[in-house]
Structure formats: C-alpha cells, structure tokens
Amino acid sequence: MQSKGLTDISVEVLQIIASYLDQPDYASLRLVSKGIERSLFRAFALKFFDCRVKFMQTDYSLQLLFDMSQSRLGPYLKNIAIGCEILCHISLDDRCINTATELQRFSAINKFNQLCDDQAILLSTGHAQLMLVEVFRNLPHLEVVEICSFSQDLYNPGIGASQIFRETMVDIRSNVIAFTYNKADSASTLSNVLFALGKAGVRPKQLYLDMRITGLPDAAFNIPSFMEKSVLPVLSNLERCDCRVALEQPRPFRTVVPTGKPRPQPLPSYHLQTFLANLSQIKVLHLGAIDGANKYRFFKWLAAPVSTERYDSPLEFKPPSSPSLAKLTELRLSEVEIPFCDLISVVQKSSSTLRKLSLYKVTLITDPDDGWAGPCARLACAGSRLEEVSMQVLYLSVGNNGIGRSRTILRFNGARGFSYAGPNMRKAIGRLVPVAKLGADQNLSFECKHEALTILRCYRC
C-alpha cells in the first residue's frame, strides 16, 4: 500500500498541524509545494501578520514593509508598529561581537557602523517619511498604528534585527550598546508617521504611543500649520488613543493667558493638550506616565467644560480648548497622579457616554479635610452610569498642591484592587467608603475622616 504524503492530507488537518509551528518552520512547510502554499497562505497570514507587526527605521526594514504592503500580505497588515530606536556606533574597544579573529571583529564593527551612518541619512533626508507614505497608500484599511521604544518591547526591536545580525554579527536584541534613543528623533518619528498617514489619505482608528521609559518632549505633539491639513483629519478620525509617554517639560515653557487672568502663565503640556483637543471622535482614551505635564493643571484642563466664552487676549496666548469627550466610552489612567476632584469632574463630564473606568497605579490627591470618604461618595454619584470599573494598586495622597503630602496605598477588604461590572455601580463604589483601608498591614477603616487624617499623617512615604 502506497503511503500518503503531505499533499494527501486534507486542508483542515494540514492547517491544524501548521498551527503548532513557529514562523520559520511554517514558512518552510509552505515551500513544499504550490498546493500546500495555496492551502496554508491565508492561515499563515492571519497567524503572523493579522496582528501587531513591528518595523525598524532602517532602509532594509522599511523596504520590506513596502514590499509586503504591495504583496498578497498587504490586506492582512492592519496593525503596524514603528520603533524609535537609533542604531549607535560601536567602538573598536567594545566586546559585543564574538568572532573567530580580531580582523573579523573589526570587519563586523565597520559594517555595523556603516548601517548607523546609513540610517542617519535615511532619517535626515526625509526618505523614511516618503517610504512610509507609499506604504500607507498601499494599506487603505490600516486600523492600528503604534509608535514605541525598544525598552517597552524587550528582545523585539522589530523586523530587520535578524538581518542586521546576519550582515554584521551584532545582535541588537541583546546588546543594549548597539542602539540609543534621541528624544528629538523620537519626536520626529511621531511627526513623520502622522504626516505620512495624512499625505497617504489613511485614517486608522487606533493610535498607540508608548515611550514610558525613554520619554517624549512636549514638542513632539506640535502640529505646525503646514501639517494641519494632513494631520488634523487623522486625529479627528481616531476612536482610541493610548498615550503613555513620560512627557518631559520643555525649556522655556510655552505661555498662555487663561480667560480672566491678567498675566501669561507657563503651560508645559501645551502641545499635548492641543493634540488631545483634536480627538473629536475619541471613544477610548488611555493616559499614562504623563507626570511631567504639570499634572494638576493638566487634569483640571481635561475635566473643564468646553468653553464658549469669547477670548479677548491676543490669539497667540490662547490656551488649548478642553476636549469635549462627547463620545468617550472608556477612560484608562495608569502611573499618574491626579487630584481626586478632577477625576470626579472628568467622569461627570462624560457621564452620558462613559461606561468603563480603569485606574492602575494611580495616586489620588485629596485635601486634608476630605480624605477618602467624601470624594469616594461623590465618585459613586458621578459614575452611577458606569458599567465596569477597575481600581488596581491605588494610592491616596493628602496635602496642599504637592507640598508636605503623604502617600499611602489603599486596600479594599485586604486586597490591593477592586473590580466590579454590573448595573449597580453607584452602590458598588459607595460600599468602598467603609472597606478601604490604609497601608499593607493597617486594619484601619475610613469610616471616620478625622481618624483617616490622623493615620495618614503618621504613615508618610
């Protein structure tokens, strides 16, 4: 009896077998025959490309992205991440390359340093942006764009890293000295990607910005007048924005004259606020690690109602308008400090549409006279229409505008978090008033505000 080969296996069984393979083995299996390649192509594309795919800002990586966008894989590329990594020159004294001879090591270093020089020219001439424009034109159904740093994506600098290793013997996935982060280059990456999307006429629904460790200057969010026609339609079409950027305060500050104020005031997050104000269709907003944004005034601005007052000062001093948040359904805050009253105001502002609230590693700042009980009760009223809430690793900080404040972790019935999904949100949050406790080992309730204040003064961070 003649034995059966791979070509005799049904497509369904073959796809099940292939689902257990990694990408190189999957690709090898597709090379067995044209019939197998046709049978497995869609499953292969869905598994490895209908998901987040990260690319580097190198000629090889961007050219590969362009080639993929023109191929059969193009329709499956819906989630693209662009890394901000800049290749860094290696000196002859660096021992990051294992070669048989010293001459081979010098040769590898020369090849890698040449790639560094090539990348610098690729970015400085604007050719990288031109390549992205052509890529995005080939991907009209692009849904998600992400701009991130390697430190947020350990061991995955992006497609092209293996090619660098094959050419130079430098493995940038494990050698941190082989790349660097220049905040100006990170800022230009954001501008280039947004400008390229606008010029290509592509309108993704989701934008992810993740530079929590490397940081990002406020100027990165600047939209000059020559970019407005291209970029503003991109921003106004976004339905989700994740902004975790460790915003850095510029020097000097941009100054504004708020309505009713006689003198200009510095606004370190001017461009970020202007950027967010253009997200008119936003449904999911995630703000994280933005403590450099003069946090107290930032969240007060976010919570403010949309102003309809006439602005009488010169327009160059006009502050950014507060976003309407008219369609916001989900708000996520992580690794930030926010006045408790501003959080309540944001929830109240978007109460007609907001259905999900998530807080992670958030410090809630409150006045000495309020403590936890009063603001928590007000949050229960403001968030009565919420359908889902998650509070994980919360801190309560008591003090006046950051001076002499104390910070203590909150526990809910002994746990460091609280989650609820259901129709009785007002009652569920209201129950947190007596069950929230201070510190890791303190069995002390917040039923009495004066007792809570005494405890907070005794347990300072």
Side-chain angles (χ1 to χ4, degrees):
M1 181 177 179
Q2 186 178 4
S3 61
K4 294 184 177 181
L6 285 174
T7 56
D8 299 314
I9 299 176
S10 66
V11 174
E12 292 79 8
V13 174
L14 191 62
Q15 290 177 350
I16 293 175
I17 295 173
S19 66
Y20 292 94
L21 302 178
D22 58 16
Q23 192 170 13
D25 291 338
Y26 207 135
S28 299
L29 177 59
R30 291 174 55 225
L31 295 176
V32 171
S33 70
K34 292 183 178 179
I36 289 180
E37 197 280 331
R38 286 193 298 267
S39 301
L40 293 180
F41 173 75
R42 186 174 184 276
F44 172 79
L46 288 173
K47 180 175 181 179
F48 295 107
F49 296 96
D50 191 18
C51 56
R52 178 181 181 271
V53 185
K54 184 180 177 183
F55 295 86
M56 304 174 62
Q57 293 187 89
T58 62
D59 180 63
Y60 175 84
S61 187
L62 292 180
Q63 184 62 51
L64 185 59
L65 173 57
F66 175 73
D67 294 340
M68 291 170 61
S69 70
Q70 287 189 314
S71 71
R72 292 180 297 165
L73 291 173
Y76 298 92
L77 288 172
K78 299 179 180 179
N79 187 336
I80 290 179
I82 304 295
C84 294
E85 299 82 20
I86 303 298
L87 300 180
C88 183
H89 290 87
I90 297 176
S91 70
L92 297 179
D93 297 329
D94 290 329
R95 300 289 175 177
C96 63
I97 304 175
N98 295 319
T99 56
T101 66
E102 188 174 41
L103 183 62
Q104 290 177 337
R105 186 170 69 85
F106 287 168
S107 175
I109 291 176
N110 282 340
K111 292 178 181 179
F112 184 81
N113 288 342
Q114 182 62 51
L115 291 180
C116 297
D117 295 336
D118 293 347
Q119 184 190 40
I121 298 298
L122 178 75
L123 298 175
S124 64
T125 59
H127 187 64
Q129 184 190 106
L130 295 177
M131 295 180 72
L132 286 175
V133 172
E134 296 302 319
V135 167
F136 293 147
R137 282 175 178 162
N138 295 330
L139 303 175
H141 304 297
L142 187 64
E143 297 177 358
V144 183
V145 174
E146 179 179 349
I147 301 171
C148 57
S149 58
F150 175 64
S151 54
Q152 306 302 145
D153 207 356
L154 199 56
Y155 306 120
N156 180 26
I159 292 179
S162 57
Q163 177 66 19
I164 292 176
F165 177 71
R166 286 192 293 268
E167 290 184 9
T168 68
M169 297 298 293
V170 177
D171 190 355
I172 64 174
R173 294 166 293 190
S174 57
N175 287 307
V176 295
I177 65 171
F179 60 87
T180 186
Y181 297 99
N182 183 295
K183 292 179 174 57
D185 290 324
S186 298
S188 64
T189 300
L190 174 58
S191 299
N192 286 337
V193 171
L194 291 176
F195 204 14
L197 286 169
K199 290 196 288 188
V202 177
R203 306 288 185 264
K205 296 294 184 182
Q206 302 180 42
L207 176 65
Y208 292 79
L209 308 175
D210 196 348
M211 267 81 71
R212 286 168 289 170
I213 295 178
T214 57
L216 200 64
D218 182 60
F221 296 94
N222 182 31
I223 306 173
S225 57
F226 72 88
M227 290 176 57
E228 288 181 351
K229 186 177 179 180
S230 298
V231 174
L232 293 185
V234 176
L235 299 182
S236 63
N237 193 69
L238 290 174
E239 295 183 357
R240 173 168 184 156
C241 181
D242 279 41
C243 186
R244 295 175 289 174
V245 296
L247 194 72
E248 295 194 347
Q249 296 186 5
R251 294 289 190 276
F253 296 129
R254 177 68 179 263
T255 56
V256 298
V257 180
T259 302
K261 301 293 183 179
R263 300 181 59 187
Q265 299 179 0
L267 186 58
S269 56
Y270 176 86
H271 293 302
L272 173 61
Q273 292 183 18
T274 303
F275 180 91
L276 295 175
N278 286 293
L279 305 181
S280 57
Q281 303 297 317
I282 200 70
K283 294 181 179 179
V284 179
L285 180 61
H286 182 185
L287 299 174
I290 57 171
D291 284 352
N294 195 350
K295 44 191 169 279
Y296 310 117
R297 290 174 58 190
F298 174 83
F299 287 109
K300 189 174 294 296
W301 164 83
L302 186 68
V306 178
S307 176
T308 58
E309 297 181 5
R310 178 183 175 182
Y311 188 73
D312 296 327
S313 299
L315 291 180
E316 62 266 24
F317 291 106
K318 185 177 181 180
S321 300
S322 178
S324 64
L325 306 179
K327 297 184 178 182
L328 189 67
T329 60
E330 180 180 348
L331 176 64
R332 302 177 63 192
L333 301 177
S334 61
E335 301 173 295
V336 298
E337 294 185 355
I338 177 172
F340 211 153
C341 60
D342 290 342
L343 174 62
I344 296 169
S345 297
V346 172
V347 173
Q348 180 65 49
K349 177 179 179 178
S350 54
S351 60
S352 60
T353 58
L354 189 64
R355 296 296 176 263
K356 184 175 181 179
L357 176 65
S358 299
L359 307 176
Y360 174 69
K361 288 187 177 180
V362 171
T363 299
L364 301 171
I365 302 169
T366 183
D367 294 330
D369 293 335
D370 267 348
W372 164 264
C376 182
R378 294 194 292 273
L379 178 62
C381 295
S384 59
R385 296 185 182 181
L386 291 172
E387 297 174 356
E388 185 176 348
V389 66
S390 175
M391 304 179 184
Q392 305 297 327
V393 195
L394 294 191
Y395 299 88
L396 188 68
S397 183
V398 175
N400 296 317
N401 199 26
I403 300 175
R405 289 195 287 111
S406 59
R407 192 181 80 156
T408 312
I409 192 169
L410 287 172
R411 288 186 176 272
F412 307 95
N413 283 331
R416 295 185 66 177
F418 165 81
S419 298
Y420 173 80
N424 301 317
M425 187 60 66
R426 181 171 182 173
K427 187 175 182 180
I429 298 179
R431 286 176 175 172
L432 296 181
V433 174
V435 302
K437 302 179 186 299
L438 276 170
D441 302 314
Q442 303 299 323
N443 187 24
L444 301 168
S445 74
F446 273 97
E447 292 178 295
C448 175
K449 288 194 294 183
H450 298 292
E451 179 188 8
L453 180 58
T454 302
I455 298 165
L456 282 168
R457 286 172 174 168
C458 295
Y459 294 90
R460 295 180 180 273
C461 291

